[in-house]
Amino acid sequence: MTIRSTLRALSLSAALGLTLPGVAWADTLSDDLQGDMPGLMALYRDLHAHPELSMQETRTAAKMAGLMRELGYEVTENVGQTGVVGIMKNGPGPVVLLRADMDGLPVREQTGLPFASEVTATARSGVESGVMHACGHDTHMTGLIGAARLLAERRSEWSGTLMLVAQPGEEVGEGAAAMLDDGLYDRFGQPDYAIAFHDAAALPAGVVGYSPGYALANVDSVDITVPGIGGHGAYPHMTKDPIVLASSIVMRLQTLVSREQDPQDPAVVTVGSIHAGSKHNIISDEAKLQLTVRSYGDESRQGLLDGIRRIVRGEAIAAGMPEDRMPTVTLADQFTPATYNDPALATRMAGLFETRFGAERVVEEPATMGGEDFSRYRRAAPDEIESLIFWVGGVPMDRWEAAQAGTAQLPSLHSPFWAPDAEAVIATGAEALAAAALDLMPRS
């Protein structure tokens, strides 16, 4: 059975109320979840219609806190500014952290959904824009609440402490660090396991993807300011042209990956922005570059950042820039560390998901160069915490089939057109989170 035929069969069986032979997902957990889906979809539509920007998630946080309290969790708000923590202690055993991120993106929605966001807001930068859940965080939050409800109803089936984390500021790489800096582990206990899921715009709806080892990359934002000596465009010999120097820097930076990085250790150095000058015949006195730098290991990251500094200085020397006008390289204060899935845990959970959903709905995926600050929960105590983030496909089946036939293009995450099959994402994500927690906290 292919992924396509399995999903078509699952869709048909659900519509007819049948149990599909050979697919081990129709048990009491999924049955109970199906009964919860109308309420969960109402929650999803509300969250989707009312997104909030990073570190401004006040309405969203209040909503999540209220729902957790209704389910019997001990809730603390304003952790790391707008973060929410829900705790359920249920006897001795491990501490399992389940996390969902809350923030939307400064994107004007163009999905055409009847509950599409019409929200506008002003970011901390002062720029006003539309706001949209273009990365699917609304499905993550709804899936977390679905799992929280299933687990609250099954307290007789597990033993340990469940920690629900509704996290702000993932899109700006600040939220996890803010919650940890606000004493997340000191105040609520250090988890033994940290689990999360993310919707995927490159997998069919309801398919689960996992990556043992590195799953997502280090993400650094780098600013380079290139001073020059400006003047008339007709007399370049009387200037030091920062545009020419910046161009040389851009080209030389490409060799960091192509000639200095181990080909089996992926990395990216992208110059996403270059600004200089104001008129045809004026040589500017400054150029500015903005870079995104992606890597996996800490050593690779440091090598790339050191290489950028070396190249920038070397090209400036070659251009004859005086010492007092050397370019400056600045790293953003917040960087997103690479996300690492403990291989043994990833393999264990993949087996669990195959048992529940069927082997055709669980696929091993290569690591990506995207970033996720979920990495910080494990990184805070890497020898003591095992973590896993997995993907849940969100591409509606008709769109997936059209894309495979070459008659349609799929929107990516962060696209104003991204509209996942939310019901499939939420149902799969909630069941997977609940099943993982039950497996990790068995009652002896």
Side-chain angles (χ1 to χ4, degrees), residues 150-166:
L150 292 172
L151 292 165
E153 293 168 349
R154 285 169 169 73
R155 295 183 65 164
S156 63
E157 300 176 25
W158 57 274
S159 184
T161 298
L162 187 62
M163 180 189 299
L164 307 180
V165 172

Side-chain angles (χ1 to χ4, degrees), residues 89-109:
K89 296 181 179 180
N90 192 33
V95 179
V96 175
L97 183 156
L98 303 180
R99 171 269 206 176
D101 34 14
M102 298 190 293
D103 49 334
L105 285 160
V107 173
R108 182 176 65 83
E109 182 164 354

Side-chain angles (χ1 to χ4, degrees), residues 379-429:
R379 196 176 176 94
D383 296 329
E384 301 167 17
I385 301 172
E386 295 182 48
S387 73
L388 170 69
I389 188 169
F390 58 93
W391 301 100
V392 176
V395 181
M397 199 60 213
D398 58 340
R399 296 296 303 275
W400 175 263
E401 291 183 333
Q404 300 309 298
T407 59
Q409 286 190 328
L410 299 178
S412 67
L413 298 176
H414 292 205
S415 164
F417 301 103
W418 174 237
D421 181 342
E423 188 163 0
V425 174
I426 292 163
T428 305

Side-chain angles (χ1 to χ4, degrees), residues 259-290:
R259 287 296 175 269
E260 297 189 29
Q261 188 76 2
D262 183 338
Q264 298 183 70
D265 184 10
V268 171
V269 178
T270 293
V271 180
S273 172
I274 179 168
H275 289 279
S278 59
K279 197 174 185 295
H280 302 75
N281 62 347
I282 298 174
I283 293 174
S284 175
D285 61 1
E286 185 178 83
K288 290 182 176 290
L289 292 77
Q290 293 180 309

